[in-house]
Amino acid sequence: HHDSGEDFVCEMDGFTVPIFGTDEQMEELRKLLNEGELISAETTIAVTNEEFMLTEDGVNAGVVLPPGNVILKNRRRNLERNRINGRRSTNQRIRNLTAHVGEKQVLVVRVIDAEGKASDDAQTVSNKFFGTYGDKMTMKSQFEACSFGKLKISNNYSIDLSNHLEAP
């Protein structure tokens, strides 16, 4: 675990182990992740069997990056080219994560049940999702943080919704 709060792990054969490297290598992984070259559950990092840390009973306890620069076996441009050509990588468990950047408008719908009950009032819901009244840990803040500022959640709409804010 590094000061940035990010951990890198390796998924192999249904289990996950930590990736260890020098501070420079971990910084390089962060840079590749931020630039979109390292894609969670898709990118393969080149290592050999010698880089696996085994416990005394032979269980894999982690992967140590080999000396030097981090080498990605399937860079983003290759993954995109394979998608365009209809080919899939050898990892059949790839998640299909849609990439979004820019500003995305989100409408949060507060539902009142048949008994007239709702979990929170409109101000609380707005604050929890958008930080309207000062909440710092919100859906909006987390999407922005996890996308490294590339995705901005907004409740500013290009049309006036005031006539549509209540339904029977």
Side-chain angles (χ1 to χ4, degrees), residues 34-81:
N34 293 344
E35 292 172 350
E37 287 293 327
L38 179 64
I39 301 170
S40 178
E42 291 190 23
T43 305
T44 302
I45 298 174
V47 296
T48 64
N49 289 340
E50 290 78 44
E51 276 88 40
F52 295 109
M53 285 178 32
L54 301 178
T55 61
E56 287 182 17
D57 55 357
V59 175
N60 187 353
V63 177
V64 179
L65 295 174
N69 290 341
V70 174
I71 300 170
L72 303 182
K73 290 173 73 173
N74 52 345
R75 296 186 78 92
R76 181 180 68 177
R77 59 185 162 272
N78 296 338
L79 291 167
E80 289 171 353
R81 187 171 54 242

